[in-house]
Amino acid sequence: IRTQGKTYYDSDNTPVRMLGTVLDITEFKRLQQQKDDFISVASHELKTPMTSLKASIQILDKLIKTNGSSEKITAFIEKANISLTKMQHLIESLLNVSKITAGQLALNKTYFKAGDMITESCDHVRMAGEHEIIVSGDTDIDIYADRSKIEQVIVNLVNNAVKYAPDSRTIIINIVRRTKTVKISVQDFGEGIAYDKIPHLFERYYRVDSTGVQYSGLGLGLYISAEIVERHGGKIGVNSEAGKGSTFWFTVPISN
Ligand code: ADP
């Protein structure tokens, strides 16, 4: 329980009255725990049917490619594939939340090229064909990190750039080499973020539009991204201006 307020004393210095607010954070913690537990169970339950659905679509895709099919069917399969990839990303990030809250997020580090990893992470946006993603800077640089986890950070930032910049089609990803790390930034030209909201963005379940009326979401993408980056010893942040757009950036090591 947190209390905040003012105590009034009489002439003998005996407290006579206290005025203030009491905030019960045990209730807040209990609700957080309930959300965490639900996410853990739901993501595990979703994973199995999702994997088999993805396998079926991939077989169908192969059959079509070898035996031929109408353009319409090919287009439907492609659409289904894009949606499935999005769902897989979502389930993967929910599973990671469970691992993070349980302190069990393991890293499997290898060397890989920054540019290749970024191109692969943006495939689903490119396939959807509605946004132009410009990748600039040191694309050939090697990173030493858990590739699938860093891909998840890129996916989260790029998906946000798509979601929170509905009227802009351009997203710029920049790779800059520093002494021992590489800095990757994802820039959008969307609505930006008010200054006073910025300190909360990386908190679990935080959303600027908490009612979800305008944009749907769980408020977990940036929390997961921050945890992944920090586990790699990197830093994450944002430069943003309301009405102009946002540049989310993070650093990762280039060697062990
Ligand atoms: P979600 O998008 O599911 O709400 P995130 O953790 O990814 O969760 O983001 C938290 C909040 O930060 C979002 O609800 C949104 O208000 C804000 N935000 C994130 N990325 C951007 C962006 N590129 N532009 C504007 N606001 C953003």
Side-chain angles (χ1 to χ4, degrees):
I1 292 187
R2 260 187 222 149
T3 55
Q4 201 176 25
K6 197 170 175 183
T7 312
Y8 295 88
Y9 301 89
D10 67 10
S11 50
D12 302 331
N13 226 13
T14 313
V16 287
R17 195 156 68 96
M18 210 185 129
L19 202 68
T21 53
V22 178
L23 182 70
D24 188 352
I25 61 166
T26 46
E27 177 61 8
F28 173 74
K29 280 199 171 157
R30 199 179 60 80
L31 287 174
Q32 287 269 73
Q33 187 62 48
Q34 270 185 355
K35 282 189 195 173
D36 292 347
D37 291 347
F38 174 76
I39 279 178
S40 171
V41 173
S43 54
H44 279 100
E45 291 294 315
L46 283 167
K47 193 172 172 154
T48 317
M50 182 70 208
T51 312
S52 85
L53 200 58
K54 181 89 185 174
S56 307
I57 290 283
Q58 274 169 348
I59 293 169
L60 218 55
D61 194 37
K62 260 194 195 147
L63 283 176
I64 283 174
K65 281 194 179 119
T66 44
N67 299 337
S69 177
S70 76
E71 244 175 57
K72 226 176 175 179
I73 293 180
T74 314
F76 273 124
I77 295 288
E78 190 151 295
K79 262 195 166 171
N81 223 342
I82 294 171
S83 299
L84 279 176
T85 307
K86 280 189 191 165
M87 278 173 74
Q88 267 189 320
H89 286 154
L90 188 61
I91 294 171
E92 200 53 45
S93 54
L94 296 184
L95 283 167
N96 274 339
V97 172
S98 313
K99 286 184 192 149
I100 291 166
T101 50
Q104 289 168 347
L105 189 80
L107 299 184
N108 177 18
K109 294 186 186 178
T110 56
Y111 283 99
F112 54 88
K113 294 244 173 285
D116 294 347
M117 180 274 296
I118 289 171
T119 309
E120 204 165 294
S121 314
C122 298
D123 251 9
H124 64 291
V125 178
R126 278 217 183 82
M127 275 161 78
E130 285 170 10
H131 289 80
E132 184 193 19
I133 299 186
I134 301 166
V135 183
S136 64
D138 206 341
T139 51
D140 260 350
I141 196 166
D142 276 317
I143 292 176
Y144 183 69
D146 184 321
R147 178 168 178 153
S148 73
K149 302 253 173 356
I150 299 296
E151 278 181 6
Q152 208 181 25
V153 176
I154 302 280
V155 167
N156 288 342
L157 299 184
V158 167
N159 284 352
N160 280 350
V162 168
K163 180 159 69 170
Y164 298 107
D167 301 327
S168 158
R169 289 173 45 89
T170 307
I171 296 163
I172 300 175
I173 303 183
N174 196 25
I175 308 163
V176 179
R177 191 201 176 109
R178 295 157 135 205
T179 328
K180 287 186 177 168
T181 59
V182 57
K183 184 175 178 179
I184 301 176
S185 56
V186 178
Q187 182 178 15
D188 68 60
F189 301 90
E191 59 187 42
I193 303 156
Y195 190 71
D196 60 322
K197 310 284 188 220
I198 289 180
H200 303 289
L201 293 181
F202 300 94
E203 290 168 8
R204 188 148 99 247
Y205 302 115
Y206 180 82
R207 310 200 66 223
V208 172
D209 168 26
S210 56
T211 54
V213 172
Q214 203 176 355
Y215 304 107
S216 64
L218 293 166
L220 289 171
L222 292 179
Y223 164 73
I224 296 168
S225 303
E227 289 284 334
I228 291 175
V229 169
E230 278 158 22
R231 279 294 310 277
H232 281 87
K235 286 197 163 60
I236 189 164
V238 60
N239 304 321
S240 185
E241 207 178 318
K244 293 207 168 155
S246 313
T247 304
F248 280 85
W249 57 264
F250 66 96
T251 58
V252 266
I254 47 181
S255 63
N256 58 350

